[in-house]
Structures are given as structure tokens and as C-alpha cells.
Amino acid sequence: MAGALWVLRSAHHIFATCLALELLGMGLALVVLRWLDDSGGGDAAALAASVFVIAVLLASAITISEFWVVRLTGFLLAPAVLVGLALGLKLLGLSASRAMAVSPAWLALAAAPWAWWCWREARWLGKPRAARQAALAAGYVASLLVLAVGVGGWMHTPTSLASPAGVNELWSGAHAWPRWLSVWLVLVSGWALMRRWRENGRPHDSVRTLLWLACALLAVCSWFSPVLGVVTLVAALAAASARWRLFAGCGLVTLGLLSAFYYNLAWPLAAKGLGLALLGAVLALCVLVTNPRGRSAASATVPGSRRGAAWILLGGLIALGIANADVWRKEVVIAQGQRILVSLVPVDPRSLMQGDYMQLRFDIPSRVREELDRFSSNSIQWSKRAVVVAKLSDRGQAQLLRLAGRDEPLNPGEILLPLKQLKGEWVLVTDAYFFPEGQGERFVSAKFGEFRVLPDGRALLVGLADAQGRSIAASASLNLERPH
């Protein structure tokens, strides 16, 4: 390890730098593993090992000459600090369930060095080691954002909101105070950013109003997803110091956390849709409040405003054109395609991630499956899409025969079907059929997938059919209760 640090201090060649990094990482891993083995393991030994790793990484950051390696050191430093904090709290008597509940608090403590660096940055500018410290801080905060995604995925708040007992639990004890801490971080971060911008003579009143509205919205969301408090703190510091790429990264992490919350929330889709509609109405009202008619009328005469409106209109037309072109192609298949039935084999029919749908697995003969596997593994024509020949029975049931050759003539009663690989399985068009929420029992008797197929091989799944080939229709009445 000492030799590796000596090389990293003086070497500028990429090969020598990478070799020294491997030696340093190998030496660090061997020391930690040997220490844990000799001490018999345990939380105290693991805490000592994490402190040792932190010390080595900090010493490396001081020694290394290449700034990209210093950033990498900062990226590795953040998880070591987080593990050390978790082990320290565990030694203080924190149980596993409480440890999971307060994990956002660990992340807030881990973000404290970044906040301290931003506060002291102006005093360190121009000093000899300022650039090195900035590189270390950049890697550290990037790692914090990655850890925020992991910790946010570890939290199981949304499922707790499905029952009154779960909601009551979130308001009490160890589950409550990290959430209030997150709300406090959001509000304090917004206030500090506003104060910093006011000192610099910006922004306009409308921007300040939007900032306060955004903080209020994030404060509410952070109670449900506490990691948002730390992400908002990092975003505020990034905006205050004009680190706009980091600010954009915080925005992406925020969107990811909110999306994960939405998909894990155990509510009916109707309730989720109503919530999104209300949120959209609130945001539209905020825009109207912060953009009075007089200001908007005055800005309408500015050429830049007209260009912006034209780009928005063009983007909307492109989005609508692409969506409607796809709908039109599917309508052609439905209207002109031949009705065929493809056998299904039993598979788990339920999933709550995207509402209610049946997962489909098609009955593909073993010989056809072997041909498909050889086709997909061929080094020259490797592909996740294939075309097979199927023979139709009098009932319209398709039986897969073989992989279709290029320009192969078809025999009477044969058609072409397109297959593609999804999640390692060959499927026809799709591997799922969606139906109205709460109507899963209607589709339990499904034995066939009902398709419309055109002569050129285009196919579309339009429904499911029972053992007699009769289409299974959804009920006209909408049942909003999710079946147990």
C-alpha cells in the first residue's frame, strides 16, 4: 500500500496509475479481511475496520497527484463514512428495525462534511490544496447521491400506507423523527438558498415564489420519502455555488425517488390517478399565481418568448404525432389482421407494480425453442427478434413449427409470427396482458392468447380466450377495489 501511494504521488502515466490503484485496493482489502478474521468479527471490529478505511482514503487523497483519482477516492469515501456511522449507531444499541427507520438520518450525517466544505469553500479559494479538496468533495457528493437512491429503495414507506396501522406507526417512535428531520432539512435548505440569492441581488419575485412552493411540495414528499431531505440539501448547496450539473443530478435522483414511491404505493390506480390530477392542478394554479396576466402579456412581445412558444408547440405536435402513428399502426392490425389463438402455459397471473395484469408465457415446442436459442447465440446474426412459421388449425389455433428462413415460401395454412426476447424468454408480441383493476378472476380461465396477424408477420395481442376459443371480455362496470 505504501508503494502504491508512492507511485500515485509521482506517476502521471495511465498504466502506472491504474496498476497502483489496483495494488492499493488489494492491500486495503487484505488488511480489512485479515483484521476482521483475527478479531473474530463483530460490530466493534467492523467499526474499527471502517475507520481504518476512511483514514487510508483521506491519506490517499492528500498524497495522490491526479485529480480524477482524488475524485474516485472521494466516491469511495462516502460509503465508508456511511457504514461507519451505521456501525457506530448499532453499537449504541440501535436494533435492526430502528436502524432501517433512521437510515436517512445516517445519510444526513454523512452529508455534513459536504455542507461544511461548501460553507468554507470561499475561504479556501486560492490556497495550494483547494483544487484537491474540491475534487475530493466532488467525488464524495456524487457518491452520496448514489447512496441516496439505494437508501431510498431500502425504505418501505409506501407499503405501510396501505393500512391504518402502518400510517399510525409512521407517526410514532423511531419512524417519525427521521421524517421530521427530512422536512426540516428541506425547509432550511430552501430558506438558506433564498437568503444567499437575495444577498446576490437575485432572483425575481416570481422565482422566489416558485422556490417556496417547490420547497413546500418537497417538504410534504420528504415526509413520505425521507431521503429527499438530504437530496434537497445537496441541491440547495449546488445551486448556491453554481454547480449546475450537480443540481441537475439532484433533480434526476429526486424524480427517481418520487417514481419509486409512486410504483410501490399500495393504492388502487384510480386513487393514484386522482392524486396525480390534483397535483397537476396545484402546479397549474402555482404557475398562474406566479405569472400575472400583465407580465405574460408584456413578455408576449419579446421575440425570445415567441420562439419558446413555437418550440413548445413543435414538441407537442411531435409527441402527439408519434403516439397517434403508433395507434394507427395497431388499429390497422386489429381491423385487417387474421384472428389466431396461441396456447398459454400456466404462470403467475398477478402483479401489483403496474396495476392488474396477467403475465403470459407461450407454449413454444422444445425443437422450436432450441432453434431460437441457436439463432440468438449465433455470433454473426445475434438478435433478440425472430420470425417463426406456424400452422393454423380449423379453430384458428396456431402451432409453432420452425424458424422461418429468408424468403421461405409458406405452405397452405401456414403463417409467419414475430417473436422477441423479453427477460430471457421468447414471447409473441408481449409477455403481459393488462385488464381493468379488480377483474382478475374473469381471466383465470384463459388458455389462449388472441391475436390479430397480417400476412407480412405483424401481430398484435387483442385479448385472451378460454379453452373453447371464446373471447373473455372485461366487465363494463369498474371495480375500484383490489381483490385479495
Side-chain angles (χ1 to χ4, degrees):
M1 291 172 62
L5 287 175
W6 180 79
V7 173
L8 288 172
R9 181 176 182 177
S10 55
H12 296 281
H13 195 279
I14 187 66
F15 175 78
T17 301
C18 292
L19 182 61
L21 277 175
E22 293 182 4
L23 290 174
L24 179 62
M26 183 185 301
L28 187 60
L30 288 174
V31 169
V32 170
L33 292 175
R34 190 71 223 181
W35 166 255
L36 294 176
D37 184 62
D38 288 345
S39 60
D43 295 334
L47 177 60
S50 64
V51 172
F52 175 74
V53 171
I54 293 172
V56 171
L57 291 176
L58 288 175
S60 302
I62 297 174
T63 306
I64 296 170
S65 58
E66 296 289 342
F67 282 169
W68 70 269
V69 184
V70 177
R71 294 189 188 94
L72 179 62
T73 303
F75 194 87
L76 298 176
L77 182 62
V81 170
L82 192 64
V83 170
L85 289 172
L87 291 172
L89 293 174
K90 189 176 180 181
L91 286 175
L92 295 177
L94 206 64
S95 63
S97 60
R98 289 173 62 87
M100 186 183 71
V102 302
S103 54
W106 307 348
L107 202 61
L109 288 175
W114 160 254
W116 181 70
W117 154 256
C118 291
W119 179 54
R120 301 278 299 181
E121 182 180 15
R123 305 179 186 181
W124 288 338
L125 291 178
K127 293 186 178 181
R129 296 186 179 274
R132 186 184 307 275
Q133 293 167 351
L136 181 67
Y140 185 85
V141 72
S143 182
L144 277 181
L145 291 180
V146 175
L147 291 171
V149 176
V151 174
W154 187 23
M155 300 290 290
H156 299 289
T157 302
T159 55
S160 301
L161 296 176
S163 63
V167 175
N168 292 333
E169 184 181 3
L170 294 180
W171 283 98
S172 61
H175 295 272
W177 72 265
R179 303 179 188 283
W180 292 120
L181 173 64
S182 181
V183 173
W184 179 82
L185 281 176
V186 172
L187 297 177
V188 170
S189 300
W191 172 80
L193 179 60
M194 185 64 64
R195 182 177 178 181
R196 177 67 177 270
W197 280 355
R198 189 180 294 112
E199 292 175 354
N200 296 333
R202 56 178 185 175
H204 298 295
D205 293 339
S206 60
V207 177
R208 285 198 293 267
T209 304
L210 282 175
L211 179 61
W212 280 120
L213 291 172
C215 287
L217 182 61
L218 283 175
V220 175
C221 295
S222 65
W223 194 89
F224 297 101
S225 184
V227 180
L228 281 175
V230 180
V231 178
T232 305
L233 173 64
V234 174
L237 292 171
S241 55
R243 291 179 169 91
W244 301 117
R245 285 183 294 181
L246 178 60
F247 182 79
C250 293
L252 293 177
V253 172
T254 301
L255 290 177
L257 292 172
L258 293 177
S259 300
F261 173 81
Y262 172 83
Y263 281 111
N264 290 330
L265 190 61
W267 288 358
L269 291 180
K272 289 184 178 181
L274 179 61
L276 289 177
L278 291 176
L279 182 60
V282 171
L283 293 177
L285 180 62
C286 294
V287 171
L288 292 175
V289 170
T290 57
N291 188 19
R293 291 185 178 181
R295 186 182 301 131
S296 61
S299 62
T301 60
V302 181
S305 177
R306 294 178 179 177
R307 287 195 298 268
W311 279 112
I312 293 174
L313 179 60
L314 178 61
L317 292 176
I318 292 174
L320 291 174
I322 293 174
N324 282 276
D326 185 61
V327 172
W328 175 78
R329 286 194 297 266
K330 289 180 169 58
E331 291 287 350
V332 170
V333 177
I334 293 174
Q336 303 177 9
Q338 179 184 3
R339 181 180 186 266
I340 70 167
L341 301 175
V342 181
S343 299
L344 303 175
V345 293
V347 72
D348 177 20
R350 306 291 293 165
S351 174
L352 304 181
M353 291 296 292
Q354 297 172 293
D356 289 352
Y357 72 87
M358 177 172 288
Q359 184 178 352
L360 305 179
R361 188 169 63 189
F362 298 98
D363 187 8
I364 301 178
S366 58
R367 63 181 183 279
V368 179
R369 192 177 296 276
E370 291 174 359
E371 291 184 35
L372 290 170
D373 292 339
R374 287 195 300 268
F375 170 76
S376 63
S377 61
N378 190 302
S379 59
I380 298 177
Q381 56 184 14
W382 184 89
S383 175
K384 291 185 177 295
R385 295 182 180 272
V387 179
V388 295
V389 178
K391 183 178 181 179
L392 292 181
S393 67
D394 296 337
R395 297 173 52 191
Q397 182 177 348
Q399 180 184 4
L400 304 188
L401 299 179
R402 62 189 181 276
L403 192 65
R406 184 182 298 274
D407 299 327
E408 176 185 357
L410 299 179
N411 299 322
E414 292 182 345
I415 61 172
L416 296 177
L417 293 178
L419 297 183
K420 61 181 178 182
Q421 263 190 336
L422 288 177
K423 306 169 187 175
E425 293 287 339
W426 286 99
V427 300
L428 176 58
V429 180
T430 181
D431 64 344
Y433 176 71
F434 290 81
F435 47 80
E437 191 171 10
Q439 300 189 21
E441 297 298 329
R442 283 180 164 268
F443 298 90
V444 171
S445 60
K447 299 298 181 183
F448 297 97
E450 183 179 348
F451 292 84
R452 295 292 187 272
V453 182
L454 292 177
D456 59 3
R458 284 183 290 169
L460 188 66
L461 176 68
V462 297
L464 301 180
D466 59 16
Q468 287 73 38
R470 295 172 301 194
S471 299
I472 303 175
S475 174
S477 60
L478 181 60
N479 181 11
L480 297 181
E481 296 296 329
R482 187 181 299 277
H484 298 286

